[in-house]
Amino acid sequence: MSRHLSKSAAPGEGNPPGAPRRAFRWKRLVAVLGSLVIVFAVAVGGLFAWLWTGAEVSTVGRAPFDNALVIPPLAGSTVEKDGTRVFDLRMQAGETEFLAGKSTATWGFNGSYLGPTLRAERGEKVRVRVGNRLDEASSVHWHGMHLPARMDGGPHQMIAPGATWTPHWTVDQPAATLWYHPHPHGRTEEHVRRGLAGLFLLDDDKSARLPLPKRYGVDDLPVVVQDVRFEGARLDGDRGMMRNAGFLGDRTMVNGTLNPYRDVRDELIRLRLVNASTARTYAFGFPDDRDFSLIGTDGGLLERPALMDRVQLSPGERAEIVVRVEAGERVMLRSFPQENYGGFWQQRFGGGDDSFDILELRAARQLRASPEVPAALTEPELPDADEAVRGRHFDLKLSGINGRSMDMGRVDDTVTRGTTEVWTVRNTNGMPHNFHVHDVQFRVVEVNGSTPPAALRGPKDTVFVPHGTTMKLALRFTGPADPDVPYMYHCHLLYHEDEGMMGQFVVVEKGRSAGTPPGHAGHGGGDGNG
């Protein structure tokens, strides 16, 4: 009995019965949890590393440029007895073979993808009959055009399936490279990405007299740049993770041509650069850093050419450059990485680290001599900030402008016809934005309190506003007045626009108030007044 008792623990001594087993269980649980935390951390780190490395895109040197560049045809037109030039456009669905042997479902104007180039002169009356053969409503906005609000083609001028809209106006602005594209509220990104876009070139007497390259498709080339991504034959539109700028493709097209080249036979080539991408910003230049002459911005020619080796264009912006080529050479138009997106995170996931080969120019062995770019071009018709009668402030955030998301029934600002205002636009949102104003060409007065760089001194209707940037813009509103039908201002990163980064303003006569915007209804007829 005593020998048996001596093998038992005395009361109060040692661990209570079962305690070693519970301690072992707790240690095992802690070890398992620790292992899970480590596995989770490794997995998250691996996922982040995969996302980080996979977010950078470069097509530099990775493919032969062996597809001849398609030049959009000049749109046919008729001239009526009163001198009105009439164009016909139809929005339609179709199929396009971007990749050999694969047909891709696309939309276009008068064809399966993109549209013809409309061309008119200052002072001409124009009318465009726009028919909608799609199975959903859309609109056609004349980006950069000065015209009545009822003809602007914004979200209040929707065209129902099967209907025709016929806007008409008198061209009253200088020679410029403009473009047209849809503007349905909440659906603009998809409609543009599927292929609805085209150029609208304006001419005037002043530009016609200048010794600049001006033979369309010969030494004066349209360069409509879009980024795309294919899933098989399908155009993919998925934004992907971390991509709060919007859709960013993994390759580019020019005028709907993948890996394009263009044979050129002149010493000087004019490139009309149009950023028709929905979210991507480009920094155009050449691999040897050769200088080129910037001769025009969104709304027309500069006062004098600006020599540079890079020009940055955010979605919707345009630039006209003249570059010299040497006989027999091949030179690549390229987009280079950019460093003004607002930090390393946006730099990587907003496309700032990406680089693309865009268009190869192949110079003939013998080139036609080109006259030098003139030292003086024109006197831009820009408003003077000193004449401003008031100022307004616009704070850009993905959630909305000035804290408000777009409301089709709300007029956000009322301006008086014939007056000049200064608009201060600020981006502290941590991501890139830009700012487009319908109807006007504005002057960039200041960028973060300083004189704007040369690329921003010409007439502009769209401007890149990276994080940490404040810009002052001078705008003059010359009408016509319409208290009921608004123009838009918005971020032209189209995902942002669709998410509500848009407001609207009306132009009224002095002392008048804003009316009520029309409903978001499709047109049933073709007078262009509804």
Side-chain angles (χ1 to χ4, degrees), residues 91-93 106-108 131-138 160-162 191 196:
M91 294 182 282
Q92 62 186 70
T106 54
W107 288 358
N132 183 2
R133 297 185 182 178
L134 302 172
D135 59 4
E136 63 179 277
S138 191
H191 287 206
L196 290 177

Side-chain angles (χ1 to χ4, degrees), residues 26-49:
W26 275 108
K27 289 179 182 179
R28 185 168 61 180
L29 180 60
V30 169
V32 169
L33 290 176
S35 299
L36 289 175
V37 168
I38 292 172
V39 170
F40 178 75
V42 170
V44 169
L47 175 63
F48 177 78

Side-chain angles (χ1 to χ4, degrees), residues 175-177 212 270-273 293-306 308 311 313 317-322 377-378 380 454-460:
T177 300
L212 292 170
R270 180 182 191 170
L271 302 178
R272 296 179 184 257
L273 303 173
S293 296
L294 177 71
I295 62 169
T297 51
D298 299 340
L301 297 176
L302 304 179
E303 181 177 3
R304 59 181 58 85
M308 55 186 58
V311 61
L313 298 181
E317 290 186 279
R318 288 90 66 209
E320 297 183 32
I321 68 173
V322 176
L377 297 172
T378 191
L456 297 181
R457 293 178 195 166
K460 297 285 292 175

Side-chain angles (χ1 to χ4, degrees), residues 476-519:
R476 185 168 180 81
F477 303 92
T478 57
D482 190 331
D484 296 316
V485 182
Y487 297 105
M488 306 294 116
Y489 55 80
H490 57 88
C491 180
H492 213 283
L493 279 67
L494 297 183
Y495 164 65
H496 293 182
E497 173 189 328
D498 286 344
E499 287 293 295
M501 276 195 73
M502 181 160 62
Q504 47 191 11
F505 68 97
V506 294
V507 178
V508 301
E509 297 291 353
K510 186 176 181 180
R512 295 287 303 276
S513 300
T516 303

Side-chain angles (χ1 to χ4, degrees), residues 443-455:
R443 180 195 298 270
V444 179
V445 181
E446 291 181 2
V447 179
N448 290 333
S450 300
T451 301

